Amino acid sequence: MDWGTLVGTAVGGVVALAATMIAERARSRREEAVRRQESKRQLYVAYLAALTRTRNELKDIVRSPGLGQQERARLSAEAYREGGAYELRHQLGLFAPAPVISASDEAFRAIRDVRDLVRDGAPGPLPEAFEAFEAFEAFEAFEAMIHAIRGLRDAMRKDLGTDG
């Protein structure tokens, strides 16, 4: 029996097995990275949608004629609580990188500030123009909220690699 042929065949089998295992591991890592990226994308979309939903609800409250201060306070608390951003913010804290978390916190605080202004606004219905609401403060807070949400969106796009 030729031992060289036997050893050569065994070494060839080991090399083939190792190559297959390395290729499988690389494929598995790529698939996991794609799954993680897709999960993160879905979380980002859901969070931005929740912030936008809350923002729109608060804007509708401000623009609603005939709402007294108590009703605005109730509706603004409800919009903030039921918008869904609070829960999703905690998920972001687990999966997003630090720049996205920081931008998320800023956007969340900006939404909360607008909610507080809507809740604590002057008695009676608020005009559509924010300038008359609390001496221009609400307009500035609303602009800060929009700016913060845009900053968050940009941080998310950068993290996802879709910022062009």
Side-chain angles (χ1 to χ4, degrees):
M1 176 185 259
D2 184 10
W3 288 100
T5 304
L6 185 59
V7 170
T9 302
V11 169
V14 169
V15 169
L17 180 62
T20 301
M21 289 175 61
I22 290 170
E24 179 62 27
R25 186 170 183 193
R27 184 186 63 76
S28 177
R29 283 184 177 175
R30 277 192 309 273
E31 288 175 357
E32 179 60 28
V34 167
R35 278 192 301 272
R36 255 186 277 119
Q37 189 79 346
E38 180 59 21
S39 294
K40 195 186 299 185
R41 186 190 67 76
Q42 289 176 1
L43 176 59
Y44 287 0
V45 167
Y47 188 63
L48 286 173
L51 290 174
T52 301
R53 187 171 37 253
T54 303
R55 180 200 67 199
N56 289 340
E57 286 292 322
L58 292 170
K59 189 166 54 172
D60 287 347
I61 294 165
V62 169
R63 291 179 173 170
S64 294
L67 290 180
Q69 187 172 0
Q70 287 182 336
E71 184 67 4
R72 274 198 322 273
R74 185 186 68 73
L75 290 172
S76 63
E78 186 177 291
Y80 183 74
R81 184 178 56 253
E82 294 179 9
Y86 190 79
E87 296 83 1
L88 291 169
R89 180 175 170 234
H90 291 291
Q91 290 181 35
L92 277 177
L94 293 174
F95 300 108
V100 173
I101 293 170
S102 177
S104 165
D105 289 344
E106 185 178 335
F108 192 77
R109 281 190 299 272
I111 289 271
R112 186 186 58 213
D113 290 346
V114 169
R115 180 221 43 204
D116 291 349
L117 287 170
V118 172
R119 178 193 66 205
D120 300 335
L126 300 176
E128 185 172 324
F130 282 89
E131 292 88 347
F133 177 49
E134 293 296 301
F136 199 68
E137 184 180 5
F139 183 73
E140 291 173 356
F142 197 82
E143 287 298 314
M145 176 184 61
I146 291 170
H147 179 74
I149 292 172
R150 285 182 184 150
L152 172 60
R153 183 198 61 216
D154 292 345
M156 289 173 168
R157 287 177 55 85
K158 185 174 182 179
D159 179 47
L160 295 172
T162 58
D163 63 344

